C-alpha cells in the first residue's frame, strides 16, 4: 500500500486522462495517473490522431508534388517515395508529442505509474503489471476512469496486424500494398485509405451502409464521395465482409450484399478493418465495485461525470457522447473543475468533427436530416469555394460552406464545410454557436481579406439574407 493518499487517481493518460490530470493539479489537487503504455497520450497520440495526421500530411505533399504543382509553374520530375523516411518522420512527431505530455506531468508534479489500473474500492486503485501481479495500490479520495476505447472486432475477420490490420497496423506498413481493401467507410477508414491511395495503392472501400461517412450531412457526403472517387478510391456500398482468409497470395475476402444475395470473393494484399471503436472497460474492476454500464456498454454517469458509485467518475470514450479526443479533453476539464467546486460543463451538441482527407470535411451542430426529423423550420445558406478569392489563389476551390439557421430566430443550428481548410475554419463556427450567434451575427463580423474564412461569412449572409459575392 502506498504511504500517501491522492486527491485524484486517473486511469488512462490519453487526451481525456492527461488533460484532466493537468487541470486537477492546476486546481491544487494531488494527482496520480496510471497508464498501461510506456508512453503517455493514449491511442490518439501514439497510434491514432497524431501519427495518422503526420502520414496524411506527408502523403498529401507527395501527391501534390506529383500532380498539382505544374499549374503554379513548378516543374518537377516524378517524385520517388522513401516510405522508411516518411515513417521515421511520423515516429519523430509521435515521440515529440508524447514527451511533451511527460514534461507537463513533471511540471505539474503529477505522479505516474505504469501498468493497468484496476479499481479495488471506491478509495483505492491497484497498478497491475503485464504478468497480472499487483505492483502497488494507490489510496485516493476520487477516481477518474479515462481508459478510452479499442478497435471494434469484426466476426469472421481476425486481425494479425500484418496482412489484416487495424488502424494501428495501417500506420506501420513497410511497403505500399498493391491493393488495399478498407472495411468501413467511416472517418478512420477514409483517412487511412486516402493515405495509401496517394502513395500508390489501389484502394477499395467496403461499407455495410448504402452511403459513406455516416453522421455527416447528406449533401456534403454525396459531394465528398464524388471527390474521393475522382482521387481513385473505389466504393462497394451496401456490402458486408463475412470472411477473410490470409494466404500466400494475400487475403481473400468473402463479400455479400448487406440486404442478402450471392457472395463473391475479393483479393487484396492488405485488409484494413475500420468498423468503429468500442469503450475499453475490461479489467477495470467495475463489477467488483458496482459501477453500472449503459445498454450500449458505456459507463453510466450523471451530469457531473459521476458513476453509480460516489467518488468514481468517468469521461471520454467510455461514456456517452462523440468518441473524439477533444471531447474527452473537455470532459476531463469539466469533471475536475466540478470536483474543485467550480461549474464545469461540456456541450456535446457542439463538439466539432473533422475528416482530415483532402478536401477536409468539418461540421458542428445539426445536419439538415436531423433538423427535418425534429420538425425544425430552418434556412440554408451556401457559398462555394470557387467564389472565394483566396481559395482561387491557393488553387483549392473544391467544396463549399453550408450554414443552417433557425427560420424564425436566425440562430445558427449547424455549419458544414467541405474544403481544404475546413478543420481550421470550423472553430469559428463552434465559437459562434457556443454564444448562440445568429447567421446575421457571423455575417456582420469583419473577416480579413483575402482569407478562406470569408466563405463562412458569405454562407452566413446567404442564410440570413443575401451574400455579397455570389
Amino acid at each position: 500500500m502506498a504511504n500517501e493518499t491522492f486527491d485524484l487517481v486517473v486511469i488512462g493518460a490519453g487526451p481525456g486522462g492527461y488533460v484532466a490530470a493537468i487541470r486537477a493539479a492546476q486546481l491544487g489537487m494531488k494527482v496520480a495517473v496510471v497508464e498501461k503504455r510506456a508512453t503517455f497520450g493514449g491511442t490518439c497520440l501514439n497510434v491514432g490522431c497524431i501519427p495518422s495526421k503526420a502520414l496524411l500530411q506527408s502523403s498529401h505533399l507527395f501527391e501534390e508534388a506529383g500532380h498539382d504543382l505544374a499549374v503554379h509553374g513548378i516543374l518537377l520530375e516524378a517524385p520517388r517515395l522513401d516510405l522508411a523516411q516518411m515513417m521515421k518522420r511520423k515516429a519523430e512527431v509521435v515521440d515529440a508529442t508524447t514527451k511533451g505530455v511527460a514534461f507537463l506531468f513533471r511540471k505539474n508534479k503529477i505522479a505516474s505509474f505504469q501498468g493497468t489500473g484496476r479499481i479495488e474500492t471506491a478509495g483505492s486503485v491497484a497498478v497491475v503489471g503485464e504478468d497480472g501481479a499487483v505492483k502497488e495500490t494507490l489510496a485516493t479520495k476520487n477516481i477518474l476512469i479515462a481508459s478510452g476505447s479499442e478497435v471494434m472486432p469484426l466476426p469472421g475477420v481476425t486481425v494479425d496486424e500484418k496482412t489484416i490490420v487495424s488502424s494501428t497496423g495501417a500506420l506501420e506498413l513497410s511497403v505500399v500494398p498493391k491493393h488495399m481493401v478498407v472495411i468501413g467507410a467511416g472517418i478512420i477508414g477514409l483517412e487511412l485509405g486516402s493515405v495509401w491511395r496517394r502513395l500508390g495503392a489501389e484502394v477499395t472501400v467496403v461499407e455495410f451502409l448504402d452511403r459513406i461517412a455516416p453522421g455527416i450531412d447528406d449533401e456534403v457526403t454525396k459531394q465528398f464521395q464524388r471527390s474521393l472517387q475522382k482521387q481513385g478510391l473505389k466504393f462497394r456500398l451496401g456490402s458486408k465482409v463475412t470472411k477473410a482468409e490470409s494466404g500466400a497470395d494475400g487475403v481473400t475476402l468473402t463479400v455479400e450484399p448487406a440486404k442478402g444475395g450471392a457472395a463473391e470473393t475479393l483479393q487484396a494484399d492488405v485488409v484494413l478493418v475500420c468498423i468503429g471503436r468500442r469503450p475499453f472497460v475490461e479489467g477495470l474492476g467495475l463489477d467488483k465495485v458496482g459501477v453500472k454500464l449503459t445498454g450500449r456498454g458505456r459507463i453510466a454517469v450523471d451530469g457531473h461525470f459521476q458513476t453509480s458509485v460516489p467518488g468514481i467518475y468517468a469521461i471520454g470514450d467510455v461514456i456517452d457522447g462523440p468518441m473524439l479526443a477533444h471531447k474527452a479533453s473537455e470532459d476531463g476539464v469539466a469533471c475536475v473543475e466540478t470536483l474543485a467546486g467550480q461549474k464545469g460543463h461540456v456541450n456535446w451538441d457542439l463538439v466539432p468533427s473533422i475528416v482530415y482527407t483532402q478536401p477536409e470535411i468539418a461540421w458542428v451542430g445539426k445536419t439538415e436530416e436531423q433538423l427535418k426529423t425534429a420538425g425544425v423550420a430552418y434556412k440554408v445558406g451556401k457559398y462555394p469555394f470557387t467564389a472565394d478569392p483566396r481559395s482561387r489563389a491557393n488553387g483549392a476551390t473544391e467544396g463549399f460552406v453550408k450554414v443552417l439557421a433557425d427560420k424564425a430566430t436566425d440562430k445558427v443550428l449547424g455549419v458544414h464545410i467541405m474544403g481544404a481548410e475546413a478543420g481550421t475554419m470550423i472553430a469559428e463556427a463552434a465559437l459562434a454557436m457556443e454564444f448562440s450567434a445568429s447567421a446575421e451575427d457571423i455575417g456582420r463580423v469583419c473577416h480579413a481579406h483575402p482569407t478562406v474564412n470569408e466563405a463562412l461569412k458569405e454562407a452566413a449572409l446567404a442564410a440570413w439574407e443575401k451574400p455579397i459575392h455570389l
Side-chain angles (χ1 to χ4, degrees):
M1 175 72 72
N3 294 324
E4 54 188 339
T5 297
F6 293 95
D7 295 311
L8 178 68
V9 170
V10 182
I11 300 175
Y18 89 73
V19 169
I22 292 170
R23 184 62 182 135
Q26 290 175 343
L27 292 167
M29 298 182 202
K30 188 175 184 180
V31 183
V33 173
V34 182
E35 169 55 48
K36 63 183 178 181
R37 294 179 187 272
T39 54
F40 301 125
T43 296
C44 179
L45 272 63
N46 286 278
V47 293
C49 319
I50 302 306
S52 65
K53 301 315 168 279
L55 288 184
L56 279 160
Q57 176 67 6
S58 295
S59 64
H60 172 59
L61 293 174
F62 181 75
E63 174 97 342
E64 201 170 41
H67 302 281
D68 302 327
L69 296 182
V71 69
H72 293 278
I74 304 171
L75 304 179
L76 302 173
E77 295 181 2
R80 293 180 295 112
L81 175 65
D82 184 345
L83 184 58
Q85 172 57 31
M86 190 176 288
M87 289 297 182
K88 178 174 179 288
R89 174 187 175 273
K90 181 256 302 178
E92 289 170 348
V93 170
V94 170
D95 183 61
T97 308
T98 56
K99 284 179 177 176
V101 177
F103 164 75
L104 291 171
F105 276 13
R106 293 192 298 271
K107 176 183 176 183
N108 289 281
K109 297 180 174 56
I110 297 168
S112 61
F113 299 86
Q114 185 178 356
T116 298
R118 186 178 71 206
I119 302 172
E120 300 292 276
T121 68
S124 63
V125 174
V127 181
V128 183
E130 291 184 1
D131 60 358
V134 175
K135 299 163 71 173
E136 53 196 312
T137 302
L138 310 177
T140 181
K141 297 175 184 176
N142 298 286
I143 298 169
L144 177 58
I145 302 169
S147 49
S149 59
E150 61 182 348
V151 172
M152 183 85 73
L154 178 62
V157 180
T158 302
V159 171
D160 58 19
E161 299 297 13
K162 294 177 181 178
T163 55
I164 302 177
V165 301
S166 68
S167 55
T168 299
L171 295 167
E172 298 292 342
L173 297 179
S174 58
V175 297
V176 178
K178 292 180 180 178
H179 184 204
M180 171 182 276
V181 171
V182 179
I183 305 176
I187 293 175
I188 298 173
L190 295 177
E191 287 183 351
L192 292 177
S194 292
V195 166
W196 292 106
R197 204 288 310 158
R198 294 171 191 165
L199 299 181
E202 177 188 350
V203 176
T204 302
V205 182
V206 180
E207 168 58 44
F208 183 83
L209 300 176
D210 59 2
R211 54 166 291 166
I212 70 169
I216 297 179
D217 183 270
D218 279 357
E219 182 180 16
V220 175
T221 297
K222 290 173 183 176
Q223 289 207 28
F224 185 32
Q225 183 176 338
R226 287 197 291 269
S227 175
L228 293 175
Q229 287 172 328
K230 287 179 182 177
Q231 295 173 36
L233 273 75
K234 300 176 182 177
F235 293 95
R236 296 189 58 160
L237 305 180
S239 302
K240 61 181 179 180
V241 174
T242 57
K243 185 188 297 185
E245 296 179 328
S246 296
D249 297 326
V251 183
T252 301
L253 294 169
T254 302
V255 183
E256 301 177 6
K259 296 179 180 179
E264 57 182 306
T265 58
L266 193 62
Q267 290 293 129
D269 300 284
V270 173
V271 173
L272 168 57
V273 182
C274 278
I275 63 168
R277 298 184 66 83
R278 64 183 181 185
F280 185 81
V281 295
E282 294 297 321
L284 295 176
L286 303 184
D287 290 342
K288 182 178 181 180
V289 293
V291 172
K292 294 180 180 179
L293 302 181
T294 69
R296 300 176 60 200
R298 300 194 187 190
I299 297 175
V301 294
D302 63 16
H304 299 297
F305 303 96
Q306 184 166 257
T307 70
S308 55
V309 178
I312 301 179
Y313 300 80
I315 60 169
D317 287 2
V318 294
I319 67 172
D320 284 341
M323 283 185 164
L324 296 170
H326 43 285
K327 178 265 189 184
S329 296
E330 296 304 322
D331 281 355
V333 170
C335 179
V336 299
E337 286 182 345
T338 300
L339 281 177
Q342 299 183 7
K343 301 292 184 182
H345 176 69
V346 184
N347 185 354
W348 289 348
D349 290 333
L350 293 183
V351 174
S353 298
I354 305 169
V355 187
Y356 293 90
T357 49
Q358 284 293 339
E360 292 180 347
I361 308 296
W363 70 100
V364 63
K366 303 297 185 183
T367 65
E368 282 202 64
E369 294 67 46
Q370 289 171 330
L371 294 176
K372 288 175 182 176
T373 300
V376 176
Y378 65 94
K379 305 177 293 182
V380 181
K382 289 187 288 187
Y383 194 79
F385 284 110
T386 52
D388 176 62
R390 181 61 187 272
S391 297
R392 285 199 296 267
N394 290 348
T397 57
E398 186 175 18
F400 62 97
V401 180
K402 177 160 73 169
V403 172
L404 306 176
D406 188 279
K407 196 167 187 178
T409 67
D410 196 41
K411 179 182 177 180
V412 177
L413 304 174
V415 175
H416 306 269
I417 307 174
M418 173 179 166
E421 298 183 35
T424 300
M425 292 176 66
I426 203 64
E428 179 186 350
L431 178 64
M433 292 174 67
E434 279 286 4
F435 286 90
S436 300
S438 65
E440 180 185 1
D441 288 332
I442 297 176
R444 287 193 180 276
V445 170
C446 183
H447 287 63
H449 174 78
T451 61
V452 293
N453 292 68
E454 289 179 283
L456 176 57
K457 172 187 175 76
E458 293 284 346
L461 287 173
W464 170 54
E465 195 172 71
K466 289 183 179 180
I468 298 296
H469 294 95
L470 191 64

